[in-house]
Amino acid sequence: MEDRVRVVIAEDSVLLREGLTRLLTDRGHEVVAGVGDGDALIKTVDDLAREDQLPDVVVADVRMPPTHTDEGVRAAVQLRKSHPGVGVLVLSQYVEERYATELLAASSRGVGYLLKDRVAEVREFVDAVVRVAEGGTALDPEVVAQLLGRSRKQDVLAGLTPREREVLGLMAEGRTNSAIARQLVVSDGAVEKHVSNIFLKLGLSPSDGDHRRVLAVLTYLKS
């Protein structure tokens, strides 16, 4: 069982909002509020903060009323500034590079971007919510593929081997070295060597600490 987390859900589809609530509560987590637009999300989190009851994570749709364009992601970016201790996981129907970049550029901790199709994979979705709540990163493989694909066109990855690129993609999804080793059917030591080479080639020093895993992705986004 995952550690219990407190969640606020922002989704204008009542059916999907109730479905997400059920998925999380069935796993033992607490959904403290559900709202249908970006303004309500910000107000709800601000109210909880005043009561010293901040949630661990917010799950928000990228597109919400009134225009159904970027209200959700704008609210998420604002919350990351006003309440940096709250994780933010956004859901989107499609990969929207501009929104993913804006969200990731704000900070390297407690952030996630998943396609809504991923919600159907219950264990993966709930794991992502918990990981973001605990300060980790959860990026959909399709998001990673498109963001890194754009970076390849800019020749940012020229110094990485194909295997290092593959390892970096799995890192950006939030996987641990052990999980990457299982996925690629190699030893933990081999993955550690690839990760060290990636950090070296991207100029990320040991002083950057654990953030280097996310900074590796951010390096591409800012190139």
Side-chain angles (χ1 to χ4, degrees), residues 47-69:
D47 288 346
L48 289 169
R50 281 191 287 271
E51 298 170 4
D52 198 25
Q53 295 291 327
L54 270 175
D56 300 303
V57 60
V58 165
V59 178
D61 189 359
V62 165
R63 298 172 181 267
M64 288 195 291
T67 68
H68 292 279
T69 54

Side-chain angles (χ1 to χ4, degrees), residues 27-203:
R27 290 277 181 169
H29 303 296
E30 181 185 1
V31 176
V32 296
V35 299
D37 62 72
D39 290 341
L41 172 59
I42 293 171
K43 182 180 184 303
T44 295
V45 175
D46 285 344
D47 288 346
L48 289 169
R50 281 191 287 271
E51 298 170 4
D52 198 25
Q53 295 291 327
L54 270 175
D56 300 303
V57 60
V58 165
V59 178
D61 189 359
V62 165
R63 298 172 181 267
M64 288 195 291
T67 68
H68 292 279
T69 54
D70 62 352
E71 283 84 358
V73 75
R74 284 195 288 106
V77 170
Q78 182 174 331
L79 288 175
R80 284 174 64 71
K81 294 177 181 177
S82 57
H83 304 289
V86 177
V88 172
L89 174 62
V90 299
L91 304 177
S92 179
Q93 193 69 42
Y94 311 102
V95 178
E96 302 181 78
E97 292 183 17
R98 178 169 64 88
Y99 298 151
T101 302
E102 184 178 7
L103 186 68
L104 288 166
S107 174
S108 61
R109 290 182 58 81
V111 62
Y113 190 114
L114 296 182
L115 296 184
K116 286 188 174 180
D117 288 347
R118 196 67 54 187
V119 175
E121 301 173 26
V122 176
R123 180 72 197 191
E124 256 187 73
F125 169 69
V126 177
D127 283 350
V129 172
V130 174
R131 188 159 64 246
V132 171
E134 294 176 346
T137 305
L139 298 181
D140 195 284
E142 289 299 319
V143 175
V144 174
Q146 288 204 26
L147 294 177
L148 297 188
R150 181 185 65 182
S151 298
R152 288 192 190 97
K153 296 175 184 177
Q154 299 171 348
D155 207 31
V156 177
L157 300 182
L160 300 184
T161 66
R163 177 61 89 179
E164 287 165 354
R165 293 176 184 177
E166 191 173 9
V167 169
L168 179 56
L170 293 171
M171 287 166 53
E173 291 173 25
R175 304 196 190 206
T176 64
N177 285 1
S178 295
I180 293 172
R182 290 193 298 272
Q183 175 75 18
L184 301 180
V185 194
V186 298
S187 68
D188 286 3
V191 173
E192 290 173 5
K193 183 176 180 180
H194 288 313
V195 172
S196 295
N197 287 338
I198 290 168
F199 292 157
L200 180 64
K201 292 177 180 180
L202 296 181

